[in-house]
């Protein structure tokens, strides 16, 4: 009698195929819906960006902190790495490195959720050769090739070793905002 083994095999195959349908399956098996785990990179064009309010450095040599909040206005995406920050003066610009010892984090943002990071800088002396007279702050996201620019109103930025093109500034890692 071969009917019983064939019936058991057919039943097992039917159960396996039914388990792969993805309809209402919360495990994600067989689902074609895009998810944050697919590595979709966040784009600055799809973000509402708020710069500040800042803890401004009041005088040359003082340190200031500028929080930046990014709120996703599009589909789920991922921030993986550090923000790309450029400080632009009238005739030059300088990139801001990650803070010493900072570790990049991977943050996934659903539509309407936010992440933050902090830009820390040392205020320079106005008109000094070692200070970068910053006019705009350009923000880019990791893995993307576009930036958004914002007016800089926090005074000149001191250069390291009296080199204005090497600003005494750093950027922190992304952190999830809110709950």
């Amino acid at each position: 009698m071969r009917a019983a083994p064939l019936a058991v095999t057919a039943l097992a195959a039917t159960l396996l195929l039914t388990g792969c349908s993805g309809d209402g399956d919360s495990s994600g098996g067989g689902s074609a819906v895009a998810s944050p785990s697919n590595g979709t990179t966040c784009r600055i064009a799809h973000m509402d960006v708020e710069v500040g309010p800042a803890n401004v450095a009041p005088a040359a040599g003082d340190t200031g902190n500028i929080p930046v909040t990014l709120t996703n206005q599009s589909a789920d995406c991922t921030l993986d790495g550090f923000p790309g920050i450029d400080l632009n003066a009238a005739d030059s610009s300088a990139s801001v490195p990650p803070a010493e010892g900072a570790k990049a984090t991977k943050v996934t943002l659903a539509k309407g959720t936010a992440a933050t990071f902090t830009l820390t800088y040392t205020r320079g002396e106005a008109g000094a050769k070692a200070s970068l007279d910053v006019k705009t702050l350009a923000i880019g996201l990791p893995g993307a090739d576009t930036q958004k620019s914002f007016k800089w109103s926090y005074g000149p930025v001191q250069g390291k070793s009296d080199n204005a093109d090497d600003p005494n500034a750093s950027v922190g890692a992304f952190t999830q905002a809110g709950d």
Side-chain angles (χ1 to χ4, degrees), residues 35 54 140 169:
S35 68

Side-chain angles (χ1 to χ4, degrees), residues 54-147:
N55 173 14
V56 178
D62 291 341
T63 300
N65 296 298
I66 305 166
V68 177
T69 303
L70 306 163
T71 303
N72 185 14
Q73 300 299 318
S74 189
D76 293 359
C77 64
T78 302
L79 297 166
D80 191 4
F82 286 93
I85 303 295
D86 291 324
L87 301 176
N88 300 309
D91 57 353
S92 65
S93 67
S95 294
V96 177
E100 189 174 322
K103 297 198 186 299
T105 55
K106 188 174 187 176
V107 176
T108 300
L109 296 177
K111 184 175 182 176
T113 62
T116 64
F117 66 88
T118 301
L119 171 65
T120 301
Y121 72 100
T122 300
R123 186 166 182 152
E125 189 175 326
K129 183 178 179 181
S131 295
L132 184 64
D133 188 19
V134 179
K135 303 293 183 197
T136 61
L137 164 69
I139 301 172
L141 302 181
D145 56 359
T146 58
Q147 295 181 315

